[in-house]
Amino acid sequence: MTSEPLLGKSALVTGGARRIGREIALNLAAAGAEVTITYLKSRHEAEETIREIKDLGRLAIAVECDVRTEQSVRDAVVAAVNFHGHLDVVVNNAGVFQSVPLDQLTLEQWDDVFATNARGPFLLARQAISHLRKTHGRIINIGSLGGIHAWASHAHYCSSKAALHMLTQTMARAFAPEVAVNCVAPGYIDLGEAETRQEAEHFAAKTPLKRNGTARDVADAVLFFATATNFITGQVLAVDGGLGL
Ligand code: NDP
């Protein structure tokens, strides 16, 4: 395979300013793609990520977008298509994670997590599909091991990610034969934050491969789905070092 398999392609990554989304955007750019990232609050981080993508020699823009809002999603897709002229890859990375005991979970918390993690990717995909059909593009959703395994203090998060996994499969059928839709489900990803150091050590010890995942592990799985044969569709790929086994 060429080292720049995405040359001439364009990608839209939601929540691409920082953390895992940033790594996904940079990895797609390193593989040749022009990139639009969206941000909600992290405008400065988004500008920094855009600078790094441009340093790789790729065109890139950052667009403010709240995936809970139809109009905002519409504007982001229009901005991406106007900028690149076409759209080849959509990565639904934006998400929220919350820890709340189930008997204390509020209606607002439940609805907000679903609006971001499950409804957001639906809105994005619905808005982007006409463009992706033209390019025989890809949709890659970022799910979670929590959508496969039950975590007691994360009922709304786990349920929303399980919904996203099923949405991946329904979209794969609905958008075939032109567009392949797949999902990357990360396990414990260590982003090197001091406040989660103890927790990270605990999960690394529990993980069969004896380490936590990195943002790069997730980004490489996204790149796989972005570049693999489109005969792969509707799949949920755990990137978890065996933690879910
Ligand atoms: P974050 O929790 O850091 O969120 C990613 C981005 O989502 C944020 O930077 C934020 O943008 C954006 N975002 C949040 N709400 C909205 C919204 N309503 N509209 C648009 N954007 C929004 O994610 P991580 O980097 O930790 O993880 C990335 C993905 O991977 C997520 O989907 C997450 O659920 C999943 N995942 C992560 C794991 C981990 O260990 N970190 C494990 C399993 C899955 P901004 O900063 O601009 O506000």
Side-chain angles (χ1 to χ4, degrees):
M1 200 206 295
T2 151
S3 64
E4 294 180 337
L6 295 177
L7 214 53
K9 309 272 189 195
S10 80
L12 169 62
V13 182
T14 64
R18 52 198 286 272
R19 292 166 57 93
I20 294 173
R22 170 183 172 279
E23 193 70 25
I24 291 170
L26 285 168
N27 212 29
L28 293 172
E34 300 176 9
V35 183
T36 293
I37 60 169
T38 76
Y39 63 91
L40 183 61
K41 296 183 188 143
S42 303
R43 173 194 285 269
H44 294 301
E45 288 93 336
E47 284 166 2
E48 177 58 26
T49 301
I50 291 301
R51 210 181 46 71
E52 288 183 55
I53 294 172
K54 287 183 176 167
D55 284 348
L56 293 169
R58 312 293 176 222
L59 294 172
I61 51 162
V63 181
E64 189 178 340
C65 175
D66 186 337
V67 299
R68 294 168 296 189
T69 309
E70 239 178 338
Q71 186 61 47
S72 186
V73 167
R74 196 173 295 140
D75 292 347
V77 172
V78 167
V81 173
N82 285 346
F83 182 73
H84 303 292
H86 53 93
L87 190 56
D88 301 273
V89 178
V90 167
V91 183
N92 281 306
N93 165 78
V96 283
F97 178 75
Q98 273 177 2
S99 182
V100 188
L102 183 48
D103 53 3
Q104 292 166 33
L105 191 53
T106 67
L107 187 59
E108 288 72 25
Q109 287 168 329
W110 179 276
D111 285 347
D112 193 56
V113 166
F114 264 77
T116 308
N117 293 357
R119 200 181 70 190
F122 150 67
L123 290 178
L124 227 301
R126 192 184 62 178
Q127 190 61 35
I129 188 59
S130 62
H131 304 289
L132 293 171
R133 280 204 164 108
K134 285 184 208 152
T135 57
H136 287 221
R138 314 281 167 98
I139 296 172
I140 301 153
N141 297 319
I142 308 300
S144 174
L145 188 59
I148 303 169
H149 286 266
W151 300 341
S153 296
H154 309 276
H156 54 341
Y157 172 80
C158 289
S159 303
S160 70
K161 290 294 190 179
L164 181 57
H165 295 176
M166 177 48 75
L167 182 63
T168 300
Q169 296 178 30
T170 51
M171 289 196 303
R173 293 200 70 170
F175 298 159
E178 297 93 350
V179 177
V181 186
N182 290 290
C183 179
V184 175
Y188 191 94
I189 304 303
D190 187 356
L191 297 165
E193 290 155 338
E195 59 274 22
T196 53
R197 180 57 28 222
Q198 267 198 326
E199 183 187 75
E201 284 170 10
H202 164 78
F203 276 102
K206 267 178 66 169
T207 299
L209 290 185
K210 294 298 168 212
R211 70 169 178 88
N212 293 310
T214 63
R216 184 58 188 259
D217 289 323
V218 179
D220 280 346
V222 170
L223 183 60
F224 167 73
F225 282 131
T227 55
T229 167
N230 71 352
F231 205 56
I232 300 173
T233 195
Q235 299 306 302
V236 178
L237 178 65
V239 176
D240 68 349
L243 182 61
L245 297 174

